[in-house]
Each structure stands twice: as structure tokens, then as C-alpha cells.
Amino acid sequence: MTDIVHIISGLGGGGAENTLAQLAPRLAKNGMSQTVISLTGDGVIAGRLEAEGIPVVRLDFRSVRSRASNFIRLLSHIHSMRPKFLQGWMYHGDLAATAAHMLAPGKKNRQLVWGIRCSNMDIERNGKLVRWGAIFSNIPDAVVANSEVGVNVHTLHGYRPRRLEVISNGVNLDHFRPDSRERARLRQKFGLSDDAVVAIHTARVDPMKDHQTLLIATESVRGLNLVLVGQGTREFLASYPNVCGKVQALGRREDIASLLTVGDIIVSSSAYGEGFSNALAEGMAAGLVPVATDVGDSEKIMGDTGILIPPNDPSALAHALTQLVSIPHDDLRRRGLLARKRIKDEFDIKRMTDRFVDLYIDLSKIQM
């Protein structure tokens, strides 16, 4: 028997996947056995989970022809594992978990939990999934959202869960932290002087992340160096020759914690769709001053440690970055340490883990 089976769209390097990679091993250490089922095969997070002793089942729903056989495999896995909880992650994971919960044997001894991971989503891209989610939203025993804004948006779109919990993502402060030696080593490698002011943006290229606004804003900010990290950033930068001298694009990387030590400022330029921005919180944990658009729970994450700006506004972003570039370096560092303290006080990984443990224990009492 497995205590919790997580069903997730895939195991690429996104925010939800990274949160699961941190949460599952910690739940296991709390005495709750875990298995993760990926609906789209392998991914970089699968290896991380298995290295922590978490079994990973790789299904593949991408091919229309194999969906029926993969769904039968999903039901078979759930029947054999007999989990106490099915935990869905994101829209596809939630809906797949619901279908499996309704059809797999043992439903009376099992509970269903959904996970909402975004806020003002692009309805053109996700509208059908959101509508199906709203229709079935009263089936789960609980729905967990990682942001207050996500709750509001999904309620507006018809979600009516029986029980709703907001559990913010947590950050591993031992992993994301300032490191002066690593900072010096990487600055030398990237040709950045000790006194250069460096902003970092970590996100795949996607309309949601709005790299375009960021690069337009950067053109007018004197004295700023920008480092872009994420899939597609090298190709995207090539279309902005005016900023190539002050911007470096590193593409997809797995050493995010090390790269963050290079920076002074963490930027989140998202236009929509964020729930709880892991990139923003991880940058703050590394001691970087945050600048973020007012999307998702950015304001809640930053508190009064950074600068909040409207989305899709290059002028506002340029003004915020110019403000920080003009601050003496020692003051910028002090502000960065206050940002780290904010994450330590409010969004430590242990706090998130404890909230999930408490939820599962409480649901278990109700089941009894």
C-alpha cells in the first residue's frame, strides 16, 4: 500500500514539478509513502525523485492511439498500490486523478485532492480544461491552491470545491542562499565585474513570462546587466540586437541556485498566469532584491522588500530597475538580505511540508 500517489502532467523542470520534487521526499520522511505518476513520460525531475527514493511511474498520454491503454495502466497501478490519497497536480493531473479515482477499485478507502497552480490563466489556451475543472470541482475531498489569487480566479470561473486550502510553495533556504565564493567565480566566468549591478530572470520563453517587456525595459536602463536563464532564451535574445551587449542568455540550466548568486536583483516580468512564483521566491532566498509584476501572489511573496509594478508596462519596469541600479551596492545587499529574511519567515520549505502533512492527517480523520 502507498499512502499518497501524485498524478502530474509531466516531470519537466517547471515550478509545479520542482515543488513536487521537494515535497514528496519530505512527506516520505514524515512517514507517508509516496509514488509519482507522470502522464507524459520521463523528465529531469524524475531522476531527482528516484534519487530521493520516490518511485516514478512513466505513462504516455501524448499519443491519441495509446491513451486508452495508458489509462488502463493508470487504473491498474492505482488498484495495486491502494493509495490513501490521490493527489492531482495541475489541470491534466487533476482531471486524470479524478477519472482514475472514480473508476479504479477501492474508491471508498481513498481520498482525492486537487492542486491548482496558476492564477489568471490564458483562457484561449486553457479554457476547456478550466471549464471541465469547474464541472468536476466538487468531487475532490479537498482542493489545494498555491496562491490566494489562484483561488479568486478559479472561483470566478466556477470552481466550487467542498474544501479549499491555500498552501503557498516553500523554498529550501539551505539550497538557495547567498554564496560569495560562487558569486566571485561565476562573475569572473561571465565577464562581470565585482561592482556590476546584475538582474536575473529565470523562466522559459513563453508569452506568459513576457520576456519582450523585460528586454524593451532593459534597453533604457543604464548600468544594468541582465542574465536570462531558461529554455529558449538564447534564441529569443538574438531578435533583440540593441541589448545584446548588456544581456546574457544561458538557455536551460539545472544549476539555478548557483547562478542566482551572481545577481543583485531578481525580476519576474510575467504578464499573467502565475500563482506562486517559485523563481521570485528562490531569488529572494538567494539574497536578491525583487522586482515583480502584480500577477499571482507576487505582492504577498515580496511584502515590502521589493518593487511591485503593473504587468505589460516596459516604462514601469525600466523605472523600477533604474531605481535599484542607482542605490549604493551595500544598501542593495542589505535589501537583498531583508528579502531572504522574508522568505525564511513566511515561505520556508518546512512550513509548506507541515501544511500538507496536517491536511492529509485531517482528511484521514474524516475518512475514519
Side-chain angles (χ1 to χ4, degrees):
M1 178 182 287
T2 300
D3 290 320
I4 303 168
V5 170
H6 302 271
I7 300 179
I8 189 166
S9 306
L11 291 172
E17 297 90 332
N18 276 289
T19 297
L20 174 57
Q22 295 190 79
L23 177 63
R26 287 171 171 82
L27 290 175
K29 289 176 182 176
N30 275 273
M32 298 177 172
S33 56
Q34 312 281 303
T35 295
V36 173
I37 298 178
S38 167
L39 300 178
T40 55
D42 210 355
V44 293
I45 300 300
R48 282 176 53 188
L49 287 163
E50 289 175 328
E52 293 279 359
I54 306 299
V56 175
V57 175
R58 297 160 175 85
L59 303 179
D60 193 350
F61 280 75
R62 288 169 293 190
S63 169
V64 175
R65 286 191 217 175
S66 65
R67 282 178 189 168
S69 61
N70 273 276
F71 186 68
I72 292 170
R73 288 179 61 199
L74 175 62
L75 296 180
S76 176
H77 282 298
I78 291 170
H79 179 47
S80 64
M81 287 186 280
R82 294 181 295 146
K84 296 176 183 176
F85 297 98
L86 282 183
Q87 172 71 64
W89 290 74
M90 302 185 287
Y91 298 128
H92 291 96
D94 290 341
L95 293 172
T98 301
H101 178 59
M102 300 300 288
L103 296 174
K107 180 174 176 254
K108 290 184 179 179
N109 299 315
R110 182 175 61 234
Q111 291 180 284
L112 175 66
V113 183
W114 278 10
I116 296 174
R117 313 298 300 179
C118 65
S119 61
N120 53 328
M121 73 297 290
D122 183 347
I123 293 301
E124 289 186 6
R125 296 168 68 183
N126 299 301
K128 187 179 291 186
L129 289 170
V130 174
R131 287 190 289 272
W132 279 111
I135 291 169
F136 295 114
S137 62
N138 67 336
I139 293 177
D141 297 276
V143 172
V144 177
N146 71 340
S147 69
E148 299 283 355
V149 174
V151 168
N152 296 337
V153 169
H154 286 83
T155 299
L156 183 65
H157 286 285
Y159 275 59
R160 298 293 183 268
R162 290 184 281 156
R163 175 171 179 172
L164 180 62
E165 300 282 341
V166 177
I167 303 179
S168 298
N169 293 353
V171 180
N172 183 348
L173 283 116
D174 292 329
H175 186 59
F176 293 97
R177 58 185 177 82
D179 185 330
S180 58
R181 282 189 180 180
E182 189 69 354
R183 177 185 177 91
R185 183 183 75 82
L186 288 176
R187 283 204 168 206
Q188 183 177 29
K189 178 179 178 179
F190 296 141
L192 298 165
S193 65
D194 292 342
D195 59 353
V197 179
V198 179
I200 297 185
H201 183 270
T202 61
R204 71 187 185 281
V205 173
D206 184 282
M208 184 179 93
K209 304 298 184 180
D210 200 4
H211 287 75
Q212 182 176 9
T213 289
L214 176 60
L215 290 185
I216 292 171
T218 302
E219 289 181 16
S220 62
V221 182
R222 293 184 179 180
L224 178 71
N225 297 271
L226 176 64
V227 176
L228 301 176
V229 184
Q231 186 172 345
T233 52
R234 286 176 174 167
E235 297 81 359
F236 192 84
L237 179 59
S239 61
Y240 285 83
N242 292 340
V243 298
C244 285
K246 59 166 66 176
V247 182
Q248 297 188 49
L250 306 182
R252 182 172 181 167
R253 298 284 292 256
E254 301 301 323
D255 56 340
I256 302 297
S258 291
L259 293 174
L260 287 172
T261 65
V262 171
D264 304 290
I265 302 164
I266 183 70
V267 182
S268 175
S269 58
S270 296
Y272 57 85
E274 297 285 1
F276 184 103
S277 172
N278 284 348
L280 181 63
E282 289 165 0
M284 292 170 64
L288 279 59
V289 181
V291 174
T293 50
D294 191 5
V295 174
D297 272 10
S298 292
E299 183 175 15
K300 177 182 176 182
I301 296 168
M302 293 196 304
D304 60 358
T305 66
I307 302 176
L308 189 72
I309 57 172
N312 305 118
D313 191 335
S315 296
L317 180 53
H319 180 68
L321 293 171
T322 300
Q323 279 184 265
L324 294 180
V325 168
S326 65
I327 293 175
H329 200 273
D330 287 346
D331 291 344
L332 198 60
R333 176 169 172 74
R334 277 192 288 271
R335 289 185 64 168
L337 293 177
L338 289 174
R340 176 174 168 81
K341 184 177 185 300
R342 169 79 179 170
I343 299 302
K344 181 179 180 181
D345 291 345
E346 301 293 335
F347 303 109
D348 181 73
I349 187 68
K350 185 178 183 304
R351 180 188 291 257
M352 179 189 76
T353 304
D354 289 346
R355 289 288 311 280
F356 271 99
V357 169
D358 291 344
L359 172 63
Y360 294 133
I361 290 174
D362 194 44
L363 289 172
S364 296
K365 292 176 182 176
I366 296 171
Q367 180 82 350
M368 294 169 61

